[in-house]
Amino acid sequence: MPHVVGVHLHLERDGRVLLGLRHPDTPYAGGLWHALAGHCEDESATACLVREAYEEAGLVIDAADLRLVHTVHSAGRDGPPRLQLFFRARRWEGDPEVREPDKCVAWRWWEAGEPPERLVPYTRAALDGIRAGRPYSEAGWPG
């Protein structure tokens, strides 16, 4: 079964990480906090993340400033398994703004070691892995 590739932006500023509150009516994880994310279309992972950062939050990022910091291999709940790639941006331009209110209703900076309770589970796995310096996690697989 082919796997879906998802990309996620891990932004840190002054010991805080950026997370977005998903709209309660979104098909996946409504009402939960999550990293800025998207699915790769006919593009590379970094090109996808550059595009998504601008579309979702108005952030301008150069792909050369992205570094892969964690991968989560997650089992599909209602679909195929997914490779979730988390990239840290060394630099960016702009302040996060809600540009797709039907998907995300707010952006907020959270203390890196104290993310919100209502957080997408594989995002929590990634944040924990990043803090511990682990490059890889698995989520949702049996056993």
Side-chain angles (χ1 to χ4, degrees), residues 16-32:
R16 299 166 72 100
V17 295
L18 180 68
L19 297 171
L21 180 59
R22 296 192 48 85
H23 191 284
D25 296 334
T26 57
Y28 175 72
L32 298 182

Side-chain angles (χ1 to χ4, degrees), residues 26-44:
T26 57
Y28 175 72
L32 298 182
W33 291 89
H34 189 36
L36 187 152
H39 295 120
C40 293
E41 297 171 7
D42 188 18
E43 61 200 338
S44 70

Side-chain angles (χ1 to χ4, degrees), residues 69-132:
V69 292
H70 199 78
T71 300
V72 179
H73 191 198
S74 59
R77 296 176 312 136
D78 300 323
R82 297 169 186 266
L83 279 176
Q84 310 287 11
L85 306 175
F86 284 76
F87 290 89
R88 174 179 282 137
R90 290 183 302 151
R91 290 186 290 268
W92 68 90
E93 293 178 22
D95 291 316
E97 58 186 71
V98 174
R99 295 181 60 152
E100 294 181 331
D102 58 321
K103 297 177 183 175
C104 176
V105 297
W107 294 107
R108 180 174 163 194
W109 295 94
W110 293 85
E111 290 296 327
E114 300 175 24
E117 258 324 289
R118 296 188 45 79
L119 182 64
V120 170
Y122 76 81
T123 302
R124 183 174 307 282
L127 292 178
D128 291 346
I130 292 166
R131 289 190 42 145

